[in-house]
Amino acid sequence: MKLLSAQDHQPPAEGDTRTVALPNDADAMALTLDGVERVDLHFPHFTDGRAFSQAFLLRRRRGFKGEIRATGDVLIDQLVQMQRTGFSSAVLREGVDAADAQRQFERFPGFYQADAVNPQPLFAAKAA
């Protein structure tokens, strides 16, 4: 997962159809993906997890191959789950150390369950 500082994130420019900022109360299944390269999903508060569902729907059900970016109240302890639900990048809050955030992925190197990125559970992947 690519980690961006708040200064490195550029929200979608007006009129740019390649990047879409999807409100977290919008239906991800209704979004038109023609020509879209990046979808920004917003976490207004860390306890609001609707963007996790939106990312999963975009990846697994819609087959979106572009970048899905987490914005807003992104906590480093949620980064692994973000990656597993389909996010490919996250914008870290102001003052968050990128090295601390990257260590989250080293703490959890593998999972038994399937997810949006790895659709087969670990046992099935090893058997294949």
Side-chain angles (χ1 to χ4, degrees), residues 60 84 110-115 117-128:
R60 286 291 290 273
R84 295 190 72 212
F111 301 93
Y112 291 109
Q113 304 90 354
D115 57 40
V117 179
N118 301 305
Q120 287 188 317
L122 183 63
F123 72 88
K126 285 186 175 184

Side-chain angles (χ1 to χ4, degrees), residues 26-37:
D27 181 8
M29 297 299 286
L31 177 65
T32 301
L33 296 174
D34 295 334
V36 174
E37 297 172 7

Side-chain angles (χ1 to χ4, degrees), residues 33-84:
L33 296 174
D34 295 334
V36 174
E37 297 172 7
R38 186 180 96 200
V39 177
D40 290 358
L41 300 179
H42 187 70
F43 287 88
H45 193 268
F46 75 91
T47 59
D48 187 338
R50 291 178 284 184
F52 286 112
S53 299
Q54 290 174 317
F56 188 84
L57 289 171
L58 288 170
R59 277 288 178 240
R60 286 291 290 273
R61 293 204 184 153
R62 302 287 309 275
F64 182 65
K65 301 292 185 203
E67 180 182 359
I68 300 177
R69 183 175 290 182
T71 65
D73 198 11
V74 173
L75 301 182
I76 63 171
D77 63 340
Q78 295 176 326
L79 290 173
V80 172
Q81 187 64 24
M82 287 178 185
Q83 183 181 40
R84 295 190 72 212

